[in-house]
Amino acid sequence: MKKYRIGIVGATGAVGQEIINLLEKREFPVAEARLLASSRSAGREIQACGNLEVVQETTPESFKNLDIAIFSAGSSNTQEFAEIARRNDCVVIDNSSAFRMEKDVPLVIPEINGDALESHKGIIANPNCSTAVALMALFPLHKRFGLKRFFASTYQAVSGAGAEGVTELEDQVKSKITGQTTEAKSDPVFQHPIAFNLIPHIDDFREDGYTKEELKMRNETKKILGLPSLQVSCTCVRVPVYRAHSISINAEFDSPVNVPDARTALENFNGIELWDLPNALRYPMPINYSEKELCGVGRLRLDHGFSNGLALWTVGDQLWKGAALNAVQIAEELINRKCLKNL
Ligand SMILES: NC(=O)c1ccc[n+]([C@@H]2O[C@H](COP(=O)([O-])OP(=O)(O)OC[C@H]3O[C@@H](n4cnc5c(N)ncnc54)[C@H](OP(=O)(O)O)[C@@H]3O)[C@@H](O)[C@H]2O)c1
């Protein structure tokens, strides 16, 4: 079997670590795993794909003789290096928002629009984490009933803000419980306390009162589903949960809806599981969907706020389906579709 040389940019971060885990777990055919990060981590040793690898500082030279580079290092670092990688015949799969809305860059969830990979030009974008989880639930319903508009309220875990977000929640919880005050950080991840709190604000505010994170749900959904006039309204909230994002969705459809057909559509879609037995207190929760490849859907019911409406609750591991897993699935799909071509 052919094996591939993979660069992991941001290998020391929350997403990068999961990419390493998933390459191993899914037995991705790895010939070389090149671990790249900033100069801060250069020299660190990390076990990856059966070998102890030394983390290297990312430089323009890092992309020579690689087949694929998966970037999880923030938009500005991707912008600095992605074009260099592409020119070295190394296909880029990017977890940041740097290229998602570029016309020539496919924005892909393999179960939904994997065919968009066929026309890639060397850079492929991974969607925003909440958008990926929401669309895994909405897409099969869209195929069955035709999506007209939806409202989403997100409950986003602290690991969505990177490894530092988890440390900050942990430190605050410890200090609240022990009563020991810790020194205030000069540059905190969250602008308000996150322990025993929630923050209705992720990313910068725009002039219209929405945040950039909320805009991603709207714009990326339209691009992935190929529905430019879809109406989407979203409120994004950070919650003191370590891992897995939850989303409450109220959606209106073109055709009349009913719960049994909606259940069948969801049950037959790869990548999600219907976990919906209210009387047995069975509904998806972050604690059950961390380190799980499937996203969970529950609380499915008619939405009485619309004529053809459904209300639902979905949960997915944003470090996996919202980032690392989706990126590894894209790499697998490039190989399956034989479109990991040298450009
Ligand atoms: N966390 C999530 O759930 C999630 C979901 C979807 C998308 N994303 C996106 O994925 C990216 C990474 O997020 P994360 O949560 O993994 O963040 P993180 O835990 O803060 O990790 C950031 C990574 O980027 C590396 N890095 C920083 N500056 C660099 C540079 N100049 N050159 C090369 N590498 C550099 C860091 O290396 P050092 O250790 O050397 O600093 C670290 O490996 C972001 O773009 C984020 O928006 C995250």
Side-chain angles (χ1 to χ4, degrees), residues 10 12-15 37-38 40-41 58 72-74 77 95-96 159-160 162-163 318 322:
T12 53
V15 175
S38 77
R40 291 179 294 275
S41 308
T58 313
S72 316
N77 296 314
N95 273 305
S96 82
S159 52
Q318 95 292 342

Side-chain angles (χ1 to χ4, degrees), residues 141-157:
L141 299 173
H142 164 57
K143 292 300 281 178
R144 176 66 184 77
F145 304 113
L147 188 59
K148 189 170 172 192
R149 61 174 162 155
F150 72 92
F151 305 121
S153 302
T154 72
Y155 302 66
Q156 298 186 212

Side-chain angles (χ1 to χ4, degrees), residues 1-8 19-20 22-35 48-51 53 67 328 335:
M1 182 201 274
K2 184 167 165 35
K3 295 189 171 184
Y4 300 86
R5 299 158 302 177
I6 314 278
I8 302 159
I19 288 169
I20 295 170
L22 287 164
L23 288 171
E24 287 178 8
K25 181 174 176 284
R26 294 174 67 87
E27 298 180 358
F28 189 94
V30 175
E32 176 191 344
R34 196 174 299 170
L35 307 190
C49 305
N51 295 311
E53 301 287 352
D67 299 301
V328 172
I335 294 167

Side-chain angles (χ1 to χ4, degrees), residues 186-227:
S186 59
D187 187 18
V189 178
F190 306 113
Q191 286 107 332
H192 299 280
I194 186 64
F196 310 104
N197 193 22
L198 54 78
I199 305 172
H201 158 208
I202 297 174
D203 209 341
D204 298 334
F205 278 105
R206 293 154 22 97
E207 272 189 7
D208 63 2
Y210 284 88
T211 63
K212 285 187 181 168
E213 183 81 353
E214 290 159 354
L215 199 69
K216 289 173 196 165
M217 176 76 84
R218 190 196 311 166
N219 291 340
E220 294 181 24
T221 296
K222 291 180 185 192
K223 180 168 176 176
I224 295 165
L225 298 185
L227 296 173

